[in-house]
Amino acid sequence: MFIQTESTPNPATLKFLPGCTVLNTGTADFPNQDTADASPLATRIFSIKGVTGVFFGSNFITVTKEEKRDWDHLKPAILGAIMDHFQSCDPVLNDKHQLEDGHAKHVGEDAEIVNQIKQLLDTRVRPAVAQDGGDITFHGFERGIVYLHMQGACAGCPSSTLTLKMGIENLLRHYIPEVTEVRPVGL
């Protein structure tokens, strides 16, 4: 098994491409070790000292490290953990873990606007940020403000504010006049 690695805009996060499907649909975010119980693979990666976050996409895994740790020391251990996992034939996620589209549910008078926001995120934003090893999902919409949740390489990325303000906010405001601002939320 040959696993490629790619850097991301977030220097604390690397993207690992195992050359096979990681998730058939959706994404899975494990922002800390306490959330990893749903995944044997995430649990295996978190067993490496210095790992602070794990994120799965369709064909990639992003791993976030502690700032003081060096990739030269962590990368071989992570590569080994990923390789061991896929050779073991263990599932990536436990059967009980349910994947959704990642967006928060929204009901109310703004439902049509929210559906437009989600559609633009799904067609224009999420594919682009997946290239960088992350994901951005809808969290809420209130009085013209769109709240988005950043995951994977996007969470904590130094350029995330620029991505939100100059990219996503401008895109949403262009297509949906009711949108006045975009803000990140932490979960």
Side-chain angles (χ1 to χ4, degrees):
M1 173 177 226
F2 178 72
I3 303 170
Q4 293 180 302
T5 60
E6 293 179 358
S7 59
T8 71
N10 184 347
T13 303
L14 268 184
K15 183 176 176 182
F16 294 82
L17 300 143
C20 61
T21 300
V22 178
L23 293 178
N24 289 320
T25 60
T27 61
D29 188 28
F30 305 96
N32 55 57
Q33 189 167 5
D34 296 338
T35 61
D37 290 344
S39 169
L41 177 55
T43 301
R44 195 179 296 237
I45 295 170
F46 271 114
S47 71
I48 300 165
K49 188 174 173 76
V51 170
T52 61
V54 176
F55 179 81
F56 301 147
S58 61
N59 65 346
F60 67 88
I61 300 158
T62 57
V63 178
T64 305
K65 67 172 184 68
E66 292 175 350
E67 187 176 327
K68 63 183 177 182
R69 298 288 178 169
D70 190 328
W71 279 119
D72 290 339
H73 294 103
L74 285 175
K75 190 169 146 183
I78 295 168
L79 288 167
I82 293 170
M83 188 175 301
D84 289 348
H85 176 81
F86 283 106
Q87 289 177 343
S88 75
C89 296
D90 287 340
V92 171
L93 297 173
N94 295 329
D95 290 337
K96 296 177 184 175
H97 187 77
Q98 297 293 318
L99 289 176
E100 296 183 16
D101 66 2
H103 297 303
K105 304 292 183 232
H106 180 88
V107 292
E109 61 188 55
D110 297 326
E112 188 175 319
I113 294 169
V114 169
N115 286 337
Q116 290 176 324
I117 292 167
K118 289 179 180 181
Q119 183 179 13
L120 283 169
L121 290 173
D122 288 343
T123 59
R124 303 271 181 117
V125 176
R126 294 176 85 185
V129 296
Q131 294 286 325
D132 288 335
D135 197 11
I136 297 177
T137 58
F138 173 82
H139 185 77
F141 179 72
E142 187 177 324
R143 288 180 241 156
I145 301 171
V146 178
Y147 296 93
L148 300 176
H149 181 227
M150 304 178 89
Q151 301 173 335
C154 295
C157 178
S159 62
S160 64
T161 302
L162 184 63
T163 299
L164 275 179
K165 292 296 180 185
M166 299 306 292
I168 300 168
E169 184 176 287
N170 287 341
L171 173 79
L172 293 178
R173 288 174 65 192
H174 175 77
Y175 287 104
I176 307 168
E178 294 85 355
V179 172
T180 58
E181 186 181 356
V182 173
R183 293 183 189 169
V185 296
L187 295 178

